[in-house]
Amino acid sequence: MTPGRSPEERERARLEREARRAAREGDGSTQPVVPEPPPAPAEPAPAIEPAMPSEPAARQQPPEPPPAFTGARPSRAAPRPAAERRAAAKDFLAGRRGSRPAPAGADGSERRRGGPSRAVVAAVVGGLVALLVAWFLLSLFQPLKGDGSGEVAVTIPRGASVGEIGDVLESEGVIASSFFFRTRASLAGKGGDFKAGEIPMRRDMSYSAAMDVLADPPVPDVVTITIPEGLSRSETAEVVGDSLRGSYEQASRRSSVLDPADYGGRKADSLEGFLFPATYELKPGRPVSELVDRQLVAFKQQLATVDLRFARRKNLNVFDVLTIASMVEREAQLPRERKVIASVIYNRLSQGIPLGIDATIRFATGNWSEPLKQSELAIDSGYNTRLNQGLPPGPIGNPGLASIQAAAHPASTDYLYYVVKPGACGEHSFSSTDAEFQRDVERYNSERAARGGQSPTDC
């Protein structure tokens, strides 16, 4: 027997050993750690009475010796069966650890080890699907987007499908996605309501706002008219169309802003040549005469920058310079050839040679695109420069500033002829003699015949 431990302590230690042994012999789980029980409160030692001084020390009794060991501890219980020991150990552990219940699943059963339950997986998958659906709906209906900001002019081709319109809007930054625009338009049933043409829109618009604008475009605040260089009055009338009120050809015959006679055109029957080509902006519904007047004002401003001294030394007035410039504008395909072509005209005028410029015949016949017929080449008109010497009666179009400058001060050459150089993007072959010219003409005609009568001016 271990000295210093009470019987209760020894019994408690024995029960702990039994609990450990039962746990090892049970299901093989990890041996539980049994905390050391708190020590039992010590019993107060009995008070020792002091020896009486009158008693001699010899009369004191010696301590009684311990009983002899018999081979078995009297306090040790007999061995019990293993099942009984395990039950006792579990009861002991339950008493020592408290009544804390074992963890269980949602249905009260013991939780499985090794991974999440089916309910947890289903909840995660359902949450992801809900997020995906929410993202799709937000991207499709865009509740936080509005009418956009800024301005951008979008050109919708005629006959374009909803997908093609969506691609145009996405490329211009009007909408975020062509796919969602097409889907939204299909759901709204507005695919056939969209208008074609140039439509003012905004950047970063919602799909619904973009569809509303395409279905009902706003009326523009201004009408923009761009008139190319060299066009005649009749061609310009087609460009203007019905964007303004009135007839352009009628309005461009006379104006109080400018009189051609003041510039040498005493016999001019219209304002041809003085209608400066440029881009003009006017209010919708304004009379077309307002456009004509603005063209004439622009002409005066541009003419003031042109040096006319060389032309005047050749006895040419402004009306003559405009007539030459209108032919240069039609003949020159490359900017660098303007002054050279003007020099050919000057050289032929000085030598009394007919100009032979077919553009003047096209002006007289109104045939600007088809090959000229022999009957047209023989037309009886002052504009037939194949048959008549000198300048035609007036300009055959309205030249730009570069052609006016070339006509006022041409290059210094001895060229008398030119013809289109085949396959050279409109470049001409210039020559000083008839022999050289005939050689160039033969090459041109041969290539033209190989192309079925079409002029070989492409690259």
Side-chain angles (χ1 to χ4, degrees), residues 48-193:
I48 301 177
E49 302 220 356
M52 298 295 294
S54 58
E55 277 185 75
R59 294 183 60 182
Q60 295 180 359
Q61 296 294 329
E64 187 176 343
F69 180 70
T70 59
R73 294 179 181 176
S75 60
R76 180 109 180 220
R80 291 182 291 179
E84 184 178 349
R85 291 198 303 271
R86 287 194 296 270
K90 289 181 179 180
D91 293 342
F92 173 76
L93 290 174
R96 289 292 302 275
R97 296 180 181 179
S99 58
R100 183 174 57 190
D107 56 354
S109 61
E110 185 177 355
R111 182 182 300 167
R112 295 182 180 180
R113 297 180 181 179
S117 66
R118 293 180 179 178
V120 173
V121 174
V124 172
V125 173
L128 292 176
V129 172
L131 288 176
L132 182 61
V133 172
W135 169 82
F136 182 85
L137 293 177
L138 287 175
S139 300
L140 182 63
F141 293 97
Q142 299 176 309
L144 302 180
K145 274 190 179 291
D147 296 334
S149 60
E151 293 183 0
V152 56
V154 179
T155 301
I156 304 299
R158 188 175 301 277
S161 64
V162 176
E164 292 171 338
I165 293 175
D167 293 340
V168 172
L169 297 182
E170 181 180 352
S171 65
E172 295 290 344
V174 176
I175 59 173
S177 168
S178 175
F179 167 76
F180 283 110
F181 174 81
R182 183 170 63 251
T183 304
R184 185 67 188 279
S186 299
L187 292 176
K190 292 186 176 181
D193 298 338

Side-chain angles (χ1 to χ4, degrees), residues 186 225 242 366 377:
S186 299
I225 301 175
D242 57 357
L377 295 175

Side-chain angles (χ1 to χ4, degrees), residues 248 251-252 254-258 271 274-276 280 282 287-300:
Y248 181 85
S252 60
R254 293 284 185 272
S255 173
S256 60
V257 175
L258 182 147
L271 297 171
F274 296 90
L275 302 164
F276 193 78
Y280 300 91
L282 298 93
V288 72
S289 59
E290 183 174 324
L291 171 62
V292 171
D293 292 345
R294 291 180 60 178
Q295 287 184 276
L296 297 176
V297 170
F299 167 77
K300 290 181 177 181

